[in-house]
Amino acid sequence: MDAAKIEELEAKIATLTAKLTLYETIPSVRSSYNAPPMQNLAAVPSQDSSLDGLSMLNASSQGSQPVSLPNGINIPPADSFDMTAFQLDLTSLSNPLLPATPSLSAMIAGTVSATAAPDLDFMEKFERVRRGGSAFHSPSPSDFTQLIDMSWPVRFPQPELLHHLVDTFFACVPHAKRVLHRPTFMNQLLKHPNSADFPAHVVLHAICATASLYSPLVTDSNERDMCNIGPDTLFNSAIATRRWNIKDPSDLRAPRPHTYANVNGKTKSMEQNGFGSKHADWCMDGWLEPARTGKRIVQLLQSQLIITWYFHSVGRTVDLWVSLGGCIRMITPLGLSAMDPWGPLSRQPYHTLVLTPEAPMPEQMEIFRNLFWLTYTNERVLTAGTVWPLVMQDDDISQLFPVRAKDFPGASIPIEIRQRLTTSKSLSTHPPEITDSFTLYIKACIHLGKVKTFNGRFKLKYESAGNVGDPRETTEFQMLDSAIQRFKISIPKNLCEFISIDGKVDPTLHMALLLPNVATILLHDPHANIESPDCTSAERILTAARAILDDVYKLAATSFDLLLLDHACSLGWSICATTLMRFLRVKILAGDQAETSRLCAEIQVARFMLGNLGER
């Protein structure tokens, strides 16, 4: 490095050091550490004009004499700087005390007036550092006289944007109000950031990440070129790449075998500037330390549950499994899968065996139930496309089904009339006073889990015992098949349509009606002989696929934004399209033009909806 460059860097370091020292000597800055709560986040200008930083800078720019600070440090006069040699870049300072301003070097030189427009490049860099990528607010030069409350966490966006994201989260995410009691949470959000009642940081990071998918005020820079990254990076998994044999290393479109670290690093490098990705990473990074101490463990569970929705939506599959696994592992010590008096045998009181409060409030108890069942349904839905066994087993669950959303927190609903998984005929009877779309969604997921468990255990259970035969002839298969059909028939009339008369779409009910057809396809698909016209399983999966497609047609006929659906609906649409493609191949080989045309049209509809959801 040449001497001129070294001198230039030394000059920058000296000037930045002087600026830091200047701000450390301003009493108004020091007093901001004791700033009042959020109502006064925009701090007042300095009350001591003799030590006002802006006055000092202006005094330096107007004369040729240096300005002396109380600690003996002098700021050189402006005419001693060669401002054309370098431009101050305050983005290297992560000090939140420095508000967004025009280029300070230009102000020292007297080349920027009090009403001049800010340097946009500088502002963009500074705002990105300070807010984690958000371009929500474009400060004016007058912000130089204002200070930011030092108690506000530096990784959070500004309070007005944070409140907007929280409102967006509750308004747009289908199960948001089941995870958090909104009135309580909004009151906690108004507390001082240092208060013990202020929401856990990991929860707010998870909300910021998830809400960024919906908010028009946040633009992420994590859009990917799907043509060049290959399916290995798209699904963020090394498992899917083992089947590929790359012959031409220069072919960028070819999927490449990577280790998990390389694949994960490649994906993160593409998202490193994204607002949502940063907050998701901060959520995961900030989760471990409080988990070790057991502090706010329920809020840690809430944060992990929320962040699974973000990871699923953006295709970060490995992170999805990690966060989902964290949810499942926290369920057990919290005791959320069981309920007194149906807990385990022990001479100790049940509340001493778990980490939840001894006598929780009614809204807390319902939140606990919601957290359990959302974790349960997440595992069933998100693993439906795999052959991996389930972790949470139905035989270990004695928790009550949640109350209806309009009855929350449920204190007025007697426990005697509420259902559990082990309640007789609980999957085919739906009392109206305790049933809504979320209840049906849970029951549909129970059927989906039973099918998955049957498929995963059949060979071990039957073939290892020498009972080799057609699985469809077993009693267990037939009971599963009939149970799914009974569930579909037993759905109350007022919940048979996910689109109301006035055109409103219920995303949760859409999933509740979709999943029984998915369960039917997964149950019969391994045994379907598509080429045989007499195969019952082939007929069943085609009927189920077209039932899914019927709901897709209804949805496409509305102006409903697909982004507001439960994004797990893409699983059902994909399975529907895959099933239809099996039939298409057979019809093409058979030369059946009519059926070929119909199947092609149906597949195009499913493809269009998946593409539309992906673009959103």
Side-chain angles (χ1 to χ4, degrees), residues 584-605:
L584 176 62
R585 178 179 178 274
V586 172
K587 297 303 179 183
I588 290 176
L589 294 176
D592 189 339
Q593 295 295 331
E595 276 298 306
T596 298
S597 299
R598 179 183 179 183
L599 289 168
C600 283
E602 291 172 335
I603 293 171
Q604 286 300 321
V605 171

Side-chain angles (χ1 to χ4, degrees), residues 79-259:
D79 54 12
S80 67
F81 286 89
D82 181 9
M83 302 312 298
T84 61
F86 67 95
Q87 189 79 0
L88 273 178
D89 183 9
L90 291 187
T91 59
S92 61
L93 296 177
S94 58
N95 188 350
L97 284 174
L98 296 177
T101 68
S103 172
L104 287 182
S105 58
M107 293 185 68
I108 295 172
T111 59
V112 175
S113 66
T115 59
D119 182 343
L120 295 182
D121 291 338
F122 171 82
M123 294 299 300
E124 182 179 0
K125 293 178 183 178
F126 188 86
E127 287 300 301
R128 181 167 294 178
V129 170
R130 188 164 66 84
R131 293 198 187 94
S134 169
F136 176 73
H137 174 59
S138 297
S140 64
S142 62
D143 289 340
F144 184 78
T145 60
Q146 295 180 342
L147 300 175
I148 300 173
D149 185 359
M150 283 302 298
S151 62
W152 189 251
V154 294
R155 285 182 170 179
F156 285 171
Q158 285 189 345
E160 63 270 25
L161 177 56
L162 180 62
H163 280 263
H164 160 75
L165 290 173
V166 171
D167 289 336
T168 301
F169 172 76
F170 282 114
C172 298
V173 179
H175 306 302
K177 295 177 183 177
R178 294 277 183 177
V179 176
L180 298 167
H181 185 228
R182 182 173 185 175
T184 302
F185 187 81
M186 298 305 291
N187 286 334
Q188 292 173 342
L189 195 60
L190 296 176
K191 302 289 186 180
H192 193 277
N194 291 337
S195 169
D197 295 329
F198 191 74
H201 288 197
V202 288
V203 174
L204 292 175
H205 284 310
I207 289 176
C208 286
T210 305
S212 69
L213 300 173
Y214 303 87
S215 173
L217 301 181
V218 176
T219 55
D220 263 341
S221 57
N222 60 353
E223 295 181 3
R224 310 174 187 174
D225 185 355
M226 300 302 180
C227 296
N228 292 330
I229 65 175
D232 56 338
T233 308
L234 173 62
F235 292 101
N236 196 13
S237 172
I239 298 173
T241 67
R242 295 175 182 171
R243 73 186 77 163
W244 302 98
N245 181 18
I246 308 303
K247 297 181 180 179
D248 183 7
S250 64
D251 185 2
L252 296 179
R253 298 193 177 200
R256 301 173 183 278
H258 290 296
T259 63

Side-chain angles (χ1 to χ4, degrees), residues 497-524:
E497 295 291 340
F498 65 93
I499 302 177
S500 62
I501 298 177
D502 56 357
K504 294 182 179 179
V505 175
D506 185 342
T508 304
L509 185 55
H510 172 255
M511 286 295 297
L513 300 177
L514 171 76
L515 292 179
N517 294 311
V518 173
T520 297
I521 293 176
L522 294 180
L523 182 64
H524 285 273

Side-chain angles (χ1 to χ4, degrees), residues 303-318:
S303 70
Q304 290 296 290
L305 189 56
I306 294 169
I307 208 63
T308 58
W309 298 333
Y310 173 81
F311 288 143
H312 177 256
S313 298
V314 300
R316 287 174 56 171
T317 311
V318 172

